Short mmCIF file of all heavy atoms in Angstrom, two decimals:
data_model
loop_
_atom_site.label_atom_id
_atom_site.label_comp_id
_atom_site.label_asym_id
_atom_site.label_seq_id
_atom_site.Cartn_x
_atom_site.Cartn_y
_atom_site.Cartn_z
N GLY A 18 -13.10 11.68 6.49
CA GLY A 18 -13.79 12.05 5.25
C GLY A 18 -15.02 11.15 4.99
O GLY A 18 -14.86 9.95 5.10
N GLY A 20 -16.84 11.37 1.96
CA GLY A 20 -17.19 11.29 0.54
C GLY A 20 -17.43 9.87 -0.02
O GLY A 20 -17.61 8.95 0.76
N VAL A 21 -17.26 9.78 -1.30
CA VAL A 21 -17.45 8.41 -1.94
C VAL A 21 -16.64 7.37 -1.19
O VAL A 21 -17.02 6.20 -0.94
CB VAL A 21 -17.16 8.50 -3.39
CG1 VAL A 21 -17.25 7.16 -4.07
CG2 VAL A 21 -18.09 9.46 -4.15
N ALA A 22 -15.33 7.71 -0.91
CA ALA A 22 -14.44 6.82 -0.32
C ALA A 22 -14.64 6.39 1.07
O ALA A 22 -14.78 5.28 1.62
CB ALA A 22 -13.00 7.44 -0.32
N GLU A 41 -15.90 13.90 9.70
CA GLU A 41 -16.15 14.69 8.46
C GLU A 41 -16.33 16.11 8.83
O GLU A 41 -17.17 16.52 9.69
CB GLU A 41 -17.36 14.12 7.91
CG GLU A 41 -17.97 14.93 6.59
CD GLU A 41 -16.95 15.32 5.60
OE1 GLU A 41 -16.33 14.45 4.98
OE2 GLU A 41 -16.67 16.61 5.30
N ALA A 42 -15.52 16.96 8.16
CA ALA A 42 -15.66 18.41 8.44
C ALA A 42 -17.01 19.01 7.98
O ALA A 42 -17.50 19.98 8.61
CB ALA A 42 -14.52 19.13 7.67
N ASN A 43 -17.60 18.52 6.98
CA ASN A 43 -18.94 18.99 6.50
C ASN A 43 -20.04 18.60 7.43
O ASN A 43 -19.86 17.80 8.19
CB ASN A 43 -19.18 18.58 5.09
CG ASN A 43 -18.34 19.19 4.05
OD1 ASN A 43 -17.79 20.26 4.15
ND2 ASN A 43 -18.00 18.48 2.89
N GLY A 48 -18.84 14.73 0.28
CA GLY A 48 -17.55 15.35 -0.11
C GLY A 48 -17.66 16.33 -1.29
O GLY A 48 -18.45 17.30 -1.17
N THR A 49 -17.09 15.97 -2.35
CA THR A 49 -17.20 16.73 -3.61
C THR A 49 -18.54 17.22 -3.88
O THR A 49 -18.75 18.40 -4.28
CB THR A 49 -16.66 15.91 -4.78
OG1 THR A 49 -15.25 15.62 -4.54
CG2 THR A 49 -16.83 16.72 -6.10
N TYR A 55 -22.53 24.69 -7.55
CA TYR A 55 -22.57 25.79 -8.57
C TYR A 55 -23.51 25.26 -9.68
O TYR A 55 -23.52 24.18 -9.87
CB TYR A 55 -21.16 26.23 -9.03
CG TYR A 55 -20.32 25.06 -9.63
CD1 TYR A 55 -20.58 24.78 -11.01
CD2 TYR A 55 -19.47 24.34 -8.81
CE1 TYR A 55 -19.71 23.79 -11.50
CE2 TYR A 55 -18.62 23.29 -9.47
CZ TYR A 55 -18.87 23.06 -10.69
OH TYR A 55 -18.11 22.05 -11.42
N PHE A 60 -21.22 15.28 -13.22
CA PHE A 60 -20.09 14.30 -13.64
C PHE A 60 -19.73 14.58 -15.06
O PHE A 60 -20.59 14.87 -15.89
CB PHE A 60 -20.59 12.91 -13.71
CG PHE A 60 -21.14 12.29 -12.48
CD1 PHE A 60 -22.09 11.24 -12.48
CD2 PHE A 60 -20.72 12.62 -11.24
CE1 PHE A 60 -22.48 10.57 -11.43
CE2 PHE A 60 -21.06 11.96 -10.12
CZ PHE A 60 -22.00 10.93 -10.26
N ASP A 61 -18.46 14.10 -15.27
CA ASP A 61 -18.05 13.89 -16.71
C ASP A 61 -17.96 12.36 -16.85
O ASP A 61 -17.72 11.74 -17.94
CB ASP A 61 -16.69 14.31 -16.96
CG ASP A 61 -16.74 15.97 -17.02
OD1 ASP A 61 -17.80 16.50 -17.26
OD2 ASP A 61 -15.63 16.54 -16.71
N SER A 62 -18.25 11.62 -15.73
CA SER A 62 -18.30 10.11 -15.81
C SER A 62 -19.72 9.77 -16.16
O SER A 62 -20.65 10.38 -15.60
CB SER A 62 -17.88 9.45 -14.42
OG SER A 62 -16.76 9.95 -13.92
N TYR A 67 -20.32 5.65 -12.32
CA TYR A 67 -19.84 6.41 -11.17
C TYR A 67 -20.40 5.81 -9.86
O TYR A 67 -19.74 5.87 -8.94
CB TYR A 67 -20.22 7.91 -11.35
CG TYR A 67 -19.52 8.79 -10.34
CD1 TYR A 67 -18.27 9.42 -10.58
CD2 TYR A 67 -20.08 8.97 -8.97
CE1 TYR A 67 -17.60 10.17 -9.72
CE2 TYR A 67 -19.31 9.65 -8.09
CZ TYR A 67 -18.11 10.28 -8.36
OH TYR A 67 -17.53 10.96 -7.50
N VAL A 114 -10.26 17.14 11.49
CA VAL A 114 -9.10 16.71 12.14
C VAL A 114 -8.06 17.76 11.86
O VAL A 114 -7.69 18.05 10.71
CB VAL A 114 -8.63 15.39 11.48
CG1 VAL A 114 -7.31 14.80 12.14
CG2 VAL A 114 -9.71 14.29 11.75
N ALA A 144 -9.64 9.55 3.87
CA ALA A 144 -10.46 9.55 2.61
C ALA A 144 -10.77 10.95 2.45
O ALA A 144 -11.91 11.45 2.32
CB ALA A 144 -11.77 8.75 2.95
N VAL A 145 -9.72 11.85 2.34
CA VAL A 145 -9.78 13.28 2.44
C VAL A 145 -9.90 13.91 1.08
O VAL A 145 -10.18 15.19 1.03
CB VAL A 145 -8.49 13.90 3.17
CG1 VAL A 145 -8.61 13.54 4.60
CG2 VAL A 145 -7.23 13.48 2.62
N GLY A 146 -9.90 13.13 0.00
CA GLY A 146 -10.17 13.80 -1.30
C GLY A 146 -9.00 14.35 -1.93
O GLY A 146 -8.04 14.90 -1.34
N ILE A 396 -3.43 19.05 7.56
CA ILE A 396 -3.50 18.32 8.79
C ILE A 396 -1.98 18.12 9.25
O ILE A 396 -1.19 17.85 8.42
CB ILE A 396 -4.10 16.83 8.65
CG1 ILE A 396 -5.44 16.87 8.07
CG2 ILE A 396 -4.11 16.24 10.04
CD1 ILE A 396 -6.09 15.50 7.69
N ASN A 440 -11.62 6.89 -13.39
CA ASN A 440 -13.01 7.17 -12.88
C ASN A 440 -13.01 6.95 -11.39
O ASN A 440 -12.75 5.80 -10.96
CB ASN A 440 -13.88 6.25 -13.71
CG ASN A 440 -15.46 6.56 -13.57
OD1 ASN A 440 -15.74 7.53 -12.91
ND2 ASN A 440 -16.17 5.67 -14.03
N PHE A 441 -13.21 7.96 -10.61
CA PHE A 441 -12.77 7.85 -9.21
C PHE A 441 -13.43 6.71 -8.39
O PHE A 441 -12.75 6.05 -7.64
CB PHE A 441 -12.92 9.16 -8.52
CG PHE A 441 -11.65 9.91 -8.56
CD1 PHE A 441 -11.33 10.82 -9.51
CD2 PHE A 441 -10.70 9.81 -7.54
CE1 PHE A 441 -10.21 11.55 -9.57
CE2 PHE A 441 -9.52 10.34 -7.55
CZ PHE A 441 -9.20 11.32 -8.63
C1 FAD B 1 -16.39 19.73 -9.57
C2 FAD B 1 -15.90 18.42 -9.61
C3 FAD B 1 -16.33 17.42 -10.54
C4 FAD B 1 -15.72 16.13 -10.54
N1 FAD B 1 -16.22 15.23 -11.44
C5 FAD B 1 -15.80 14.01 -11.45
C6 FAD B 1 -16.14 12.99 -12.46
O1 FAD B 1 -16.93 13.32 -13.38
N2 FAD B 1 -15.68 11.81 -12.34
C7 FAD B 1 -14.77 11.38 -11.43
O2 FAD B 1 -14.38 10.23 -11.37
N3 FAD B 1 -14.31 12.24 -10.56
C8 FAD B 1 -14.86 13.51 -10.43
N4 FAD B 1 -14.32 14.44 -9.58
C9 FAD B 1 -13.37 14.02 -8.56
C10 FAD B 1 -14.16 13.68 -7.20
O3 FAD B 1 -13.49 14.32 -6.28
C11 FAD B 1 -14.13 12.14 -7.01
O4 FAD B 1 -15.05 11.60 -7.97
C12 FAD B 1 -14.77 11.74 -5.66
O5 FAD B 1 -15.88 12.52 -5.31
C13 FAD B 1 -13.71 11.70 -4.60
O6 FAD B 1 -14.35 11.16 -3.45
P1 FAD B 1 -13.44 11.07 -2.15
O7 FAD B 1 -14.34 10.50 -1.01
O8 FAD B 1 -12.15 10.55 -2.34
O9 FAD B 1 -13.14 12.62 -1.72
P2 FAD B 1 -14.07 13.90 -1.53
O10 FAD B 1 -15.34 13.75 -2.14
O11 FAD B 1 -13.24 15.11 -1.86
O12 FAD B 1 -14.30 13.84 0.09
C14 FAD B 1 -13.32 14.12 1.05
C15 FAD B 1 -13.98 14.56 2.37
O13 FAD B 1 -12.98 14.59 3.40
C16 FAD B 1 -13.34 15.70 4.13
N5 FAD B 1 -12.20 16.17 4.85
C17 FAD B 1 -10.92 16.53 4.23
N6 FAD B 1 -9.99 16.85 5.20
C18 FAD B 1 -10.60 16.62 6.42
C19 FAD B 1 -10.24 16.82 7.72
N7 FAD B 1 -8.93 17.27 8.02
N8 FAD B 1 -11.01 16.63 8.75
C20 FAD B 1 -12.32 16.10 8.52
N9 FAD B 1 -12.77 15.88 7.22
C21 FAD B 1 -11.90 16.21 6.09
C22 FAD B 1 -13.84 16.73 3.26
O14 FAD B 1 -14.65 17.73 3.95
C23 FAD B 1 -14.70 15.92 2.25
O15 FAD B 1 -15.98 15.72 2.66
C24 FAD B 1 -14.81 15.81 -9.57
C25 FAD B 1 -14.30 16.67 -8.68
C26 FAD B 1 -14.82 17.91 -8.69
C27 FAD B 1 -14.37 18.89 -7.59
#
Side-chain angles (χ1 to χ4, degrees):
V21 176
E41 168 54 60
N43 289 332
T49 295
Y55 60 87
F60 299 152
D61 292 336
S62 304
Y67 193 93
V114 178
V145 292
I396 309 174
N440 190 4
F441 267 92

